[in-house]
Amino acid sequence: AILNQGVKPQVLTHEEVCDEELRIDDAVNRAITANGGQLRKMWGYSLFHKDDLPFKEKLIDMPDVFTPFREKCERSCKVRAWVPAPQKNGLGSVPADLSDAAKKHLPSLSDLGYTVEEIKLAENP
C-alpha cells in the first residue's frame, strides 16, 4: 500500500553472515531497489566489529570452530570504545514537514492486521 503512494522504502537491518539470511537479504534488497528504495545494513551482532577481526577480507580464513576463533580474537582484538547515548532532547525534534509526511504514510494498526479489540487493548493496557 505504501509503495502505491509514491514513498521510497528504506529498510535498516543488521548485517547477516549466514547463507540463508544473506539470500533473504538479497531478495529483500532486489524488491526494495526495484521500487526505488534502499536496504541499509549495519553490523551489531558481536563484541568485536567485523572490521576489527584478525582475519582476511570477507572473513575467508575465519575458523569454523569457536575455540580457535576465540583464541585468535583474544590475542589480537580490542573492543571498540563505546558511543555515549545522546542527551535528552540532544537530537532535537523531528522537523514538522517530516513528521507530517511520516504520519501520512505510516500504516495504522488496522492496516497491519490488528483487530479493533487488540487496538483498544493496546491503547488502554
Side-chain angles (χ1 to χ4, degrees):
I2 291 176
L3 294 175
N4 295 335
Q5 297 173 12
V7 175
K8 295 183 189 272
Q10 291 223 3
V11 174
L12 178 63
T13 185
H14 277 267
E15 188 170 341
E16 299 291 347
V17 294
C18 297
D19 183 63
E20 181 179 359
E21 289 84 357
L22 291 170
R23 284 187 276 124
I24 292 169
D25 275 358
D26 287 343
V28 170
N29 189 46
R30 284 192 304 277
I32 291 171
T33 55
N35 289 288
Q38 181 181 17
L39 179 67
R40 299 179 61 189
K41 301 176 185 181
M42 63 181 253
W43 186 258
Y45 283 120
S46 62
L47 177 63
F48 302 116
H49 189 281
K50 71 175 188 169
D51 293 343
D52 298 339
L53 294 174
F55 306 108
K56 294 180 182 173
E57 188 175 336
K58 298 192 179 192
L59 309 176
I60 58 173
D61 62 333
M62 186 169 71
D64 292 331
V65 181
F66 179 70
T67 300
F69 168 84
R70 177 186 55 81
E71 289 171 347
K72 190 162 186 177
C73 288
E74 286 174 347
R75 284 191 310 270
S76 306
C77 292
K78 295 204 183 317
V79 177
R80 288 184 176 193
W82 60 277
V83 176
Q87 298 297 317
K88 185 175 182 180
N89 298 319
L91 299 176
S93 59
V94 176
D97 57 338
L98 179 61
S99 181
D100 292 342
K103 287 177 190 170
K104 192 164 62 171
H105 296 294
L106 285 176
S108 67
L109 292 175
S110 61
D111 292 337
L112 297 173
Y114 289 95
T115 65
V116 172
E117 293 79 22
E118 290 170 322
I119 294 170
K120 286 180 183 176
L121 182 61
E123 291 172 344
N124 302 305

